[in-house]
Amino acid sequence: MLGQKRVLIGIGGGIAAYKVCDLISQLFQAGAEVRVILTETATEFITPLTVSTLSRHQVYRDLDFWRSTNPRPLHIELGEWSQILVIAPLTANTMAKLAHGIADNLLTNTVLASKSPILLAPAMNTEMWQQISVQKNWEILQENPRYHCIGPASGLLACDRFGTGRMAEPAEIKLFIASLLTTEGKKDLQGKQVLISAGGTREYLDPVRFLGNPATGKMGLALARAAVHRGATVTLICGPTQLDFSDSLNNIRFISVVSAAEMAREMFAVCDDADLIVMSAAVADVKPAEYSSTKLSKNSLPSQLPLDPVTDILAQLGDRKSERQILVGFAAQTGDIVKPAIEKLKKKRLDAIVANPVDRPNSGFGSDTNQAILIDSKGRQKQIEPRTKLALAHEIFNFIADL
Ligand code: CTP
């Protein structure tokens, strides 16, 4: 998603500038071409040499802007060159300038001279962040379709306080950049409520044994990120997972569940508000008929396990779905993936289904990449070759946009 893409980064004067060095390195390693503008105050925190070494290119500063010997103005050159502009850390000062169209240095002039999407990653002390003037400027920028916003997160700040103001983590910013390069910054899910289920459920036999599956939640988290990056408000209901969701949760309402019954209860509690529901979770089909609240000894384990069916959440969502809702299911399959997926699509009254082969390399449970055949209720089919789960998530949202 990042290979050979032209990413322009504007670094503002804040301590989080040191974290942007890691972002530049990650982008370079992912194959992107990176150019960097340093504001004058940013040079108080990191050196031009650090940035030029990491980006493998000269760094641009206000000195280069005012004393340029190029026939074409530098802000126009850089503005036209960039496919995306990232401003990190975004200071209260630069935020105020952007909100009001002020251009008094290389970075703010380049913003006005470019057409590419702009990702803003603010970072500042909590008191500064909470100022009415800062919040008003932030609102203005969020309403502008050109700007995309990530963070700030809460945590320990450089001023030794715990509070809101930490810049989003470089890995999370990198994923947002990848999304914006894929969608060209369209916010087609702006104002939409998206409900996503993820991971696998566990059906416990006793406190230490359960029936489960290897789902990790990676596909569901990728769907949640992609939806947020396209402007949606997202609720993610996820089974037990080892994933560290903390960096991405800023814009995602996260509900953790264990069993299929819990997932069903949480899904049904919020589904009526959703415009789009994607059931990517690998939900149990059956559970042990009896649960022992104390651990069963080896000798008392039954040789055959009586099972009861569990609620088919997706089928029930299909039954209660309203006209305006779009319902998407997943079919994790081995062998022929299309025929069973079409049967599920019809049986559960879905608008679309993601037929997902789980018996191929680099695909399915736990993998960072995935592939699928997307099928809709009108009979359309689209094959998606292996790619990152985030890229597949965008393909799914592109596919259902026509619905
Ligand atoms: N699903 C659900 N509730 C369940 C089981 C599955 O909502 N109790 C959803 C999954 O989230 C997925 C889809 O249904 O979106 C998968 O369909 P399903 O028929 O359960 O697939 P399999 O369990 O693989 O069915 P089969 O074994 O019959 O192929």
Side-chain angles (χ1 to χ4, degrees), residues 197 199 201 260 263 278-286 309-317 328-333 340 344 347-348 350 353-354:
S197 71
T201 59
M263 183 172 276
V278 187
M279 277 296 293
S280 69
V283 190
D285 295 313
V286 290
V310 305
T311 309
D312 189 323
I313 306 169
L314 188 58
Q316 290 212 15
L317 290 170
V328 181
F330 265 66
Q333 304 290 154
K344 284 170 200 177
K347 196 169 99 197
K348 304 194 189 193
L350 310 180
I353 193 156
V354 179

Side-chain angles (χ1 to χ4, degrees), residues 342-359:
I342 292 175
E343 279 163 13
K344 284 170 200 177
L345 173 101
K346 289 185 179 148
K347 196 169 99 197
K348 304 194 189 193
R349 302 179 201 206
L350 310 180
D351 297 292
I353 193 156
V354 179
N356 186 198
V358 289
D359 55 351

Side-chain angles (χ1 to χ4, degrees), residues 215-294:
T216 56
K218 284 184 181 175
M219 190 65 230
L221 180 57
L223 283 158
R225 280 196 177 106
V228 166
H229 297 166
R230 297 166 87 120
T233 304
V234 173
T235 301
L236 178 63
I237 299 180
C238 187
T241 176
Q242 301 290 321
L243 294 182
D244 180 6
F245 281 27
S246 51
D247 294 335
S248 41
L249 291 185
N250 215 18
N251 293 310
I252 301 173
R253 181 173 167 230
F254 179 72
I255 300 171
S256 174
V257 296
V258 176
S259 65
E262 278 174 39
M263 183 172 276
R265 192 182 62 227
E266 298 294 344
M267 290 291 297
F268 297 146
V270 294
C271 66
D272 291 341
D273 294 332
D275 300 293
L276 167 61
I277 304 174
V278 187
M279 277 296 293
S280 69
V283 190
D285 295 313
V286 290
K287 63 175 183 188
E290 277 180 31
Y291 174 73
S292 163
S293 58
T294 52

